[in-house]
Each structure stands twice: as C-alpha cells, then as structure tokens.
Amino acid sequence: MVLLCVGLLRNSRFCSLPLYLPRNLLMCRRVGLPLKKLHSVSSENSCHRTTNSALLRANQTGSPLLFCANGRTLCFQISPRVTSPLHRPGPVLTQCGHFHTSAPVRALPVPLIWLVLKPLQKLLAIILGRSIRKWWVALPANRRQLLREWAWHRRWHLAAGAGVAMVIVALLLLTHLDESPVTGRTRLVVFSRENYMELATLTTKAHMEEFAELLVPVTDPRHQVVERLVQHLAQRNKDIPEVSDVTWNVHVVQSPNVNAFVLPNGEVFMFTGMLEAVADVHQLTFILGHEMAHALLGHSAEQASLSHVVDLLSLILLTAIWAVCPRDSLALLGQWVQDKLSQLMFSRPYSRKLEAEADQVGLQLAAKACADVRAGPVFWQQMEIRDQLTGEPSVPEWLSTHPSHRNRFTQLDRLVPQALELRESCVCPALPATDPRAVFSKSVHVLLENAKNQGKAGQEGARKLHLLHSPAPLPAGLPAALLAQTSLLPFSNVDQESKEPVPKVALELDVATSTAAPAEGGGHQNVAQS
C-alpha cells in the first residue's frame, strides 16, 4: 500500500513555488502494480487567480500529476508516462477527497481589547506590588541591608537603565504623533482610525438595542428636521475628506436628556430634550456641527490614546504604592488619590480642551452651512439660565469634563467675527443687522427687572424666562415649524465652490422660530427674530 501526501494550499490556489515530491510515494489505494521505487519529481507551477487546476510535469523518469481543486473538493490524477518501449503503461489513478476550512474570524478592535484588559492590568499591578511588600517584610534584617547596599553601589547603572527606558518610551510616543484634520494640531494617537471604526460599529449596535423602543419614526417632524440639517451640514462641508467619506445616519431618541452625540462612523444620536432646549434652527445647526466635529477630528481615539498611555505609566506608580504602603487600607487610599490626581491633571483638562476645539470647528461647519453663527454663543447663555432655573448643582470647571457654559460663551463670542468672515466667503445670504446676542441680553435684563419690581408678576416673568430657552412643546412646536422652513433648503444643488448665492437659506431659517413659539411667549419671539 502506498500513501500519497498532498499539501493543500490555502483557498485552493497553487502559488509559483517549486514542488518537490518525496522519493518514495506510498499509495492509499492498490493499483495492481508491483511496488517500485519512484524517482524524485520536481516541478514548478505558476499562480493564476482564475484557474483551479494545475498540471505538474515531471522529469523524464517521473509521472505527470494533475491536481484539480474546486471549492472544498480536491481531485488528483497520477498517470505514468511511457519512457521506453519496454515500459508498459500502468493504470491511471484518480482520487477525490473533501477538505474543510474554518470560517473567517474577525479579531476584536484594539480599543475594545484595551478596555477589557484595563481592569486586569490594574489587578496585576496590585498583586505584584503586594507580593513585593510581603517578600520584603519576610526578609531578614541582614538581607535587607545587603540589598540596600547592592542598590546603592549600582545606583548609576539603575539610573542609566531607567533613562534608557524613558528614551524608548519617548521614541514610541513620537512615532505615534498625528496631525488633526482641520486644525492641524499635533496630537498623540495610539489607536488607528480603522480600529475605532470597528469599535464604533459595535457601539452603534449596542445603542440601537438600548434605544430600540425609544427611537422616533423617520416620518416624525423631529427626525426629519435633524436629518435635513445633518445632510445640509455634510453637503456644505464636503470639501473635508473626513466628512465626505462618511455616511451620516440620524437617530432621534425620545428622552428628556439634553444630549446629543455622533459616533466616528457617522451615526448621529439626538435626544428630544436637546430639541426642546434650542431656540431656533441656527442653534440646532451649531449643536450638530459641534458633535460632527468630534467625529471628524477623531476625538474619541485621541482621548482613548492619552488615557491608554497614562494608564500604562500609572501602573508603575500603582505597583509602588502597594509595595511601599505597610497596610492594604493605606494602599487603597493611595490608589484612590492616585486615580483622582490622574483625572484632575490629565483626563479632565484634556477633555475640556477637546470640547473647546469641537466648539471652534463646529462653529466653522455651521458658518459654511450658512447658519447664523451668532446664535452659537446665545445657546450657552440659555443653558446657563436653564441650569439656574431648574436648580441643577453647578460643578466647578476643574472638576468637570466640559468647560463651563460661561466660558464656552466667551470663547465662541471671540470666534464669531472669524466665523462671519468664513460664512461670507461661502457665498451665503446676508444676515439681519440685529444681533441675537444683543437681543437675548436685553430680553433677559428686562425680564429680570420686571421680576424684581413686581411681586406676583415675578413668577410670570420667570415663566416667560423659561420660555426663553424652552420653546413650544414637542412635536407640535418648534420641530414642526423648523421642518416647514427647512424643507426649502437646497440639499441637492448646494455647491460650496459655486459663485451663485445660496437662495434664502439664512432668511428662511430666521423665520422658523417666530412661527414655533405661542403667542404668550413674546419674549422668545423677539429673541428668535434677528
């Protein structure tokens, strides 16, 4: 009996490599011939994408072999060739067999793996530090003294080793420096954009399952107005590759939370509480531009990269804390202090920096979309008054991941002149002469004076002040009016490079809130009509 060993190449393709058959071939099947020694066979085969068969021609003393692969089935044929009149041709052996391949498995995104391993890293650091402490306590006094002397005599060697390690870490960090797409800021990005796109896909599925029963139908006016504004922003900013290369999808969630976020893969999640907080379509355009700026700038990958590097470096400090502290209670206290200091010194200041950058870029996106950029600072003034009216506790900025409302208003107010110049360069219609910032400040001043001078009228003034930042109830209020006005936006024929002005964009948007507010909200109408 003879056994023929055939190596199956991946995907049933034969590459252009020499194939050497062994000197002695054993067949799995009797062919009726006496067993003879076969000479070595060497041949070459070229790789073709469209073929599933290969003919291996042997030397003069060998036999040609024909391999045919189709899907998961492999057939091979061996037929000896007549080399002399005395050699009698033998029978042809054809054998077919089936082979199985495993289904392709996609590896988990690197950021997700890091999130899973992050607690495990801290646990290993704690175990290592605690083990070092117990080992040191168990040593005799003379052994401790010898180790101290050994470390002192080799202090320069240890310092040199630490210096080399720091240089290696610095080089690794320098090789991962990147440039921000719009602002050109140099930043550290450990995770690639492709990794975070895979993670964003998983996050999208999780959010869709979480909000499955709270999603607003696509026929709802609230969904349609957000959808049209997002597509308008994407169309007007298509010169940015990070905007044009992404498909933007909108999901409106029925929730009172004043929140909105955009994932790196272009999935926009807008809560109805945010729609109630905005006063007009210009403010909503700025909010959407802010969230889209987070996605196109890759802030999630940037913030995770910094957190990853800080966590890896803090593992050394965490191990030292558990090794030096004499008791576990003190080590736990030291770990808590180390974690809070890391947040206050690195994570939260960096998060506030990214939020300020998103405000700047979001204002530019809104300006190129022909929105009234002067409404951006007004939104944060409204949010500050809203927090005061609702009694929400104010957190100091140095303890928060976001800048304060007042600081955001101040920063955006400084950026408005530059945004107005950008808006004018994009061939947008002229804005009204009345500045909404001045109208808002004057309206608030008048309402506060009335509330102070009149007794019971103060409650009525407070109610009107609440209408200043919270328009008509949904869905028959602001979104319906915004939808009626934004239906005329030229989504299909807007070309940023065109020299023709965009017809009626800003003027139509300005009228939106005037039709949304009820008659008793006169102060809100004055603010909206700029």
Side-chain angles (χ1 to χ4, degrees):
M1 299 179 64
V2 190
L3 176 63
L4 177 64
C5 300
V6 181
L8 301 180
L9 299 180
R10 188 176 182 181
N11 298 329
S12 302
R13 290 165 55 184
F14 298 92
C15 298
S16 58
L17 295 175
L19 178 63
Y20 298 97
L21 298 180
R23 192 174 184 84
N24 298 325
L25 296 178
L26 301 179
M27 309 300 295
C28 292
R29 182 176 177 183
R30 292 184 181 274
V31 296
L33 290 176
L35 183 61
K36 298 180 179 179
K37 274 189 178 181
L38 299 178
H39 298 281
S40 62
V41 181
S42 64
S43 59
E44 291 187 2
N45 177 41
S46 60
C47 184
H48 300 282
R49 289 182 176 271
T50 57
T51 182
N52 284 328
S53 64
L55 178 61
L56 306 181
R57 297 187 178 276
N59 53 20
Q60 295 181 356
T61 59
S63 304
L65 292 87
L66 178 63
F67 290 86
C68 300
N70 184 13
R72 293 174 177 266
T73 303
L74 176 68
C75 300
F76 53 88
Q77 178 179 354
I78 304 176
S79 58
R81 188 176 59 179
V82 179
T83 57
S84 66
L86 300 177
H87 188 277
R88 185 179 59 183
V92 176
L93 171 64
T94 302
Q95 183 71 31
C96 294
H98 296 273
F99 62 95
H100 302 279
T101 59
S102 60
V105 179
R106 178 175 295 180
L108 294 176
V110 178
L112 181 60
I113 298 177
W114 167 71
L115 291 175
V116 174
L117 295 181
K118 185 177 179 180
L120 183 60
Q121 293 175 353
K122 290 187 176 182
L123 180 60
L124 292 177
I126 293 173
I127 294 175
L128 177 60
R130 197 167 183 270
S131 301
I132 293 174
R133 184 184 65 192
K134 288 191 172 183
W135 169 78
W136 180 260
V137 171
L139 284 177
N142 58 344
R143 292 291 301 277
R144 296 181 193 175
Q145 185 63 27
L146 290 175
L147 287 176
R148 291 191 186 99
E149 293 178 357
W150 177 87
W152 177 254
H153 289 307
R154 292 168 174 79
R155 60 185 182 277
W156 298 115
H157 297 82
L158 296 177
V164 171
M166 293 178 62
V167 170
I168 293 175
V169 172
L171 291 177
L172 290 176
L173 296 180
L174 289 175
T175 56
H176 288 84
L177 292 180
D178 189 21
E179 186 176 300
S180 182
V182 179
T183 61
R185 175 178 54 86
T186 302
R187 58 184 182 173
L188 175 67
V189 178
V190 177
F191 304 111
S192 64
R193 182 177 177 86
E194 291 75 15
N195 295 140
Y196 250 85
M197 284 299 182
E198 296 178 3
L199 182 59
T201 302
L202 299 178
T203 307
T204 302
K205 294 180 181 179
H207 285 313
M208 294 301 292
E209 294 178 0
E210 179 183 359
F211 304 136
E213 299 179 356
L214 300 176
L215 292 179
V216 172
V218 296
T219 56
D220 193 282
R222 293 168 289 183
H223 184 280
Q224 294 183 14
V225 67
V226 178
E227 175 73 28
R228 292 182 179 180
L229 287 179
V230 168
Q231 299 302 329
H232 182 59
L233 280 166
Q235 179 68 19
R236 293 290 293 177
N237 294 275
K238 62 182 180 180
D239 58 315
I240 304 175
E242 287 76 12
V243 175
S244 59
D245 295 343
V246 176
T247 302
W248 303 93
N249 300 316
V250 174
H251 312 280
V252 178
V253 182
Q254 180 71 43
S255 174
N257 296 332
V258 184
N259 189 21
F261 60 91
V262 178
L263 298 178
N265 59 348
E267 300 295 328
V268 181
F269 288 86
M270 173 67 68
F271 292 79
T272 55
M274 179 62 76
L275 295 177
E276 295 177 355
V278 298
D280 54 31
V281 74
H282 302 287
Q283 295 184 7
L284 183 57
T285 304
F286 165 72
I287 293 300
L288 290 172
H290 169 87
E291 299 300 335
M292 292 173 66
H294 277 304
L296 69 94
L297 293 174
H299 281 171
S300 56
E302 183 178 350
Q303 192 168 10
S305 299
L306 176 70
S307 179
H308 179 61
V309 173
V310 171
D311 287 342
L312 289 180
L313 296 179
S314 63
L315 291 178
I316 302 175
L317 181 59
L318 182 61
T319 304
I321 290 174
W322 278 88
V324 172
C325 293
R327 293 191 301 272
D328 291 345
S329 58
L330 293 177
L332 287 174
L333 179 60
Q335 179 182 351
W336 181 82
V337 171
Q338 180 256 342
D339 184 58
K340 295 303 179 182
L341 288 177
S342 175
Q343 293 181 8
L344 294 177
M345 294 175 62
F346 297 101
S347 301
R348 293 181 181 178
Y350 202 77
S351 178
R352 293 194 294 268
K353 178 181 178 181
L354 297 183
E355 289 294 332
E357 187 180 44
D359 280 343
Q360 176 184 355
V361 177
L363 194 67
Q364 296 176 6
L365 299 181
K368 294 167 67 176
C370 295
D372 190 350
V373 293
R374 300 173 297 181
V378 176
F379 173 78
W380 293 116
Q381 286 183 310
Q382 293 174 189
M383 293 299 294
E384 184 179 9
I385 296 177
R386 177 184 179 277
D387 291 345
Q388 294 175 0
L389 292 176
T390 56
E392 294 185 4
S394 59
V395 181
E397 182 176 318
W398 59 277
L399 289 176
S400 176
T401 57
H402 289 64
S404 64
H405 299 327
R406 183 164 300 181
N407 287 342
R408 300 182 88 162
F409 159 75
T410 304
Q411 180 198 13
L412 288 174
D413 195 40
R414 291 197 304 263
L415 295 175
V416 163
Q418 182 181 358
L420 289 176
E421 294 179 1
L422 177 61
R423 184 184 185 277
E424 185 179 358
S425 66
C426 293
V427 200
C428 294
L431 290 173
T434 306
D435 194 333
R437 295 170 293 179
V439 175
F440 180 86
S441 300
K442 185 175 181 180
S443 301
V444 171
H445 179 72
V446 170
L447 290 175
L448 290 178
E449 287 294 330
N450 293 337
K452 183 186 297 184
N453 297 332
Q454 300 176 4
K456 293 184 179 180
Q459 298 179 357
E460 183 68 18
R463 189 175 67 85
K464 290 184 177 181
L465 183 62
H466 178 70
L467 291 175
L468 187 64
H469 66 84
S470 180
L474 298 175
L478 180 64
L482 295 183
L483 178 62
Q485 299 300 325
T486 56
S487 60
L488 301 177
L489 288 177
F491 294 110
S492 58
N493 57 359
V494 171
D495 189 359
Q496 196 167 325
E497 299 178 356
S498 175
K499 295 184 179 180
E500 296 295 331
V502 180
K504 302 182 182 179
V505 176
L507 298 180
E508 292 167 355
L509 299 182
D510 286 330
V511 185
T513 53
S514 63
T515 59
E520 58 183 6
H524 173 62
Q525 292 181 2
N526 294 334
V527 174
Q529 295 175 352
S530 51

